[in-house]
Amino acid sequence: MTTDGFDPAALVDEVAVATQQVLDSAERLSPERLTGESLLPGWSRAHVLTHLARNADALGNLVHWAATGVRTPMYPSPEAREAGIAAGAQRPGEEIVADLRAASARLNEGLLSLSPTAWGAKLTGNDGREFSAETIPYKRIRELYVHHVDLAAGWTPAHWPGDFATRELFDVAASFRGRPDTMPLLLHDEDSGRRLTIGPEDLAPVAMVAGRRRTLLAWLIGRTGGDGLVMDPPGALPPLPAWT
């Protein structure tokens, strides 16, 4: 089905491809590397993979909500989410990978079963924000591509597909727009020539940060220190608040 440019089948296919890429990386990890540090402070690679499995189940709850109309939160509570990840990360590597594979398959099946009406259902995240069920595949794609980088297993922002980097750069920049804790900056995407602003909207940008699309995105979401980006006027890149 395709409606107004929204193609669920294509998005579910992208989720499946991104999932397999993570699984391929996970299966190459030795037990020692699995318990080694990821790029996320306090989390091992096992934590990252366990989080991806539980995120699949959490998004599956939203799929159920969209399909049935029965309110089904992603997680019972933030505490339950953290406890599940912490406990799951202690399992043997084969069990962690098998869990991720099974949880991803359940989500895939649920997404493929949604009707056109269900895709338009309005849902609410744990942060209280409302969104359409149409965004569920995008949310999963983001989790997979970003946390694949966090796995620190050889997959980097340079591997992000161009369409994903384009979509996310615009969305992430928009999330920083209007934030009083963000320095007002002009971002110049050298791949497209497009310019985006972040920070308070009533203040003029104090500098421009220019670079390739993936490099800008990785810096904005805190996955790199911004190597490859250029400030005008010249200077050190300013610190950014946490991406939410």
Side-chain angles (χ1 to χ4, degrees):
M1 176 199 65
T2 302
T3 306
D4 297 329
F6 173 67
D7 186 353
L11 287 172
V12 174
D13 283 348
E14 186 176 355
V15 170
V17 169
T19 298
Q20 191 57 52
Q21 290 170 339
V22 172
L23 288 168
D24 289 345
S25 291
E27 288 170 348
R28 290 193 294 267
L29 293 172
S30 65
E32 294 74 25
R33 292 192 70 204
L34 186 68
T35 58
E37 293 183 357
S38 73
L39 295 186
L40 295 176
W43 272 18
S44 67
R45 294 183 178 92
H47 284 85
V48 173
L49 294 173
T50 300
H51 164 63
L52 284 174
R54 299 290 70 77
N55 174 259
D57 287 338
L59 293 176
N61 287 341
L62 295 180
V63 169
H64 179 264
W65 182 349
T68 65
V70 177
R71 183 181 179 85
T72 314
M74 292 180 68
Y75 300 97
S77 68
E79 294 76 18
R81 172 186 177 275
E82 294 302 319
I85 295 170
Q90 307 308 313
R91 298 170 297 171
E94 319 85 72
E95 187 175 334
I96 291 174
V97 174
D99 178 28
L100 175 55
R101 189 185 302 280
S104 299
R106 289 192 296 271
L107 176 60
N108 183 79
E109 182 178 354
L111 290 170
L112 289 173
S113 72
L114 287 181
S115 68
T117 300
W119 280 114
K122 298 301 180 184
L123 313 170
T124 305
N126 282 3
D127 58 5
R129 298 176 186 173
E130 186 179 81
F131 51 86
S132 168
E134 289 182 354
T135 66
I136 295 175
Y138 295 110
K139 291 178 183 297
R140 183 57 175 172
I141 289 165
R142 173 186 287 176
E143 290 286 325
L144 289 162
Y145 284 142
V146 172
H147 288 310
H148 199 170
V149 171
D150 293 333
L151 202 58
W155 213 80
T156 71
H159 291 92
W160 286 335
D163 288 348
F164 167 78
T166 298
R167 183 173 67 234
E168 287 300 304
L169 178 60
F170 296 155
D171 286 352
V172 172
S175 75
F176 280 105
R177 197 169 303 128
R179 286 183 59 168
D181 58 353
T182 303
M183 181 180 291
L185 296 170
L186 181 66
L187 307 180
H188 175 58
D189 171 15
E190 293 178 342
D191 291 314
S192 67
R194 185 163 180 174
R195 295 186 173 186
L196 307 165
T197 57
I198 62 174
E201 296 183 89
D202 58 342
L203 298 177
V206 299
M208 181 173 72
V209 179
R212 303 295 298 273
R213 182 177 311 151
R214 293 173 179 84
T215 308
L216 280 169
L217 175 59
W219 174 63
L220 284 174
I221 65 175
R223 265 53 188 187
T224 70
D227 289 348
L229 299 178
V230 177
M231 280 272 290
D232 183 20
L237 290 169
L240 291 171
W243 168 52
T244 57

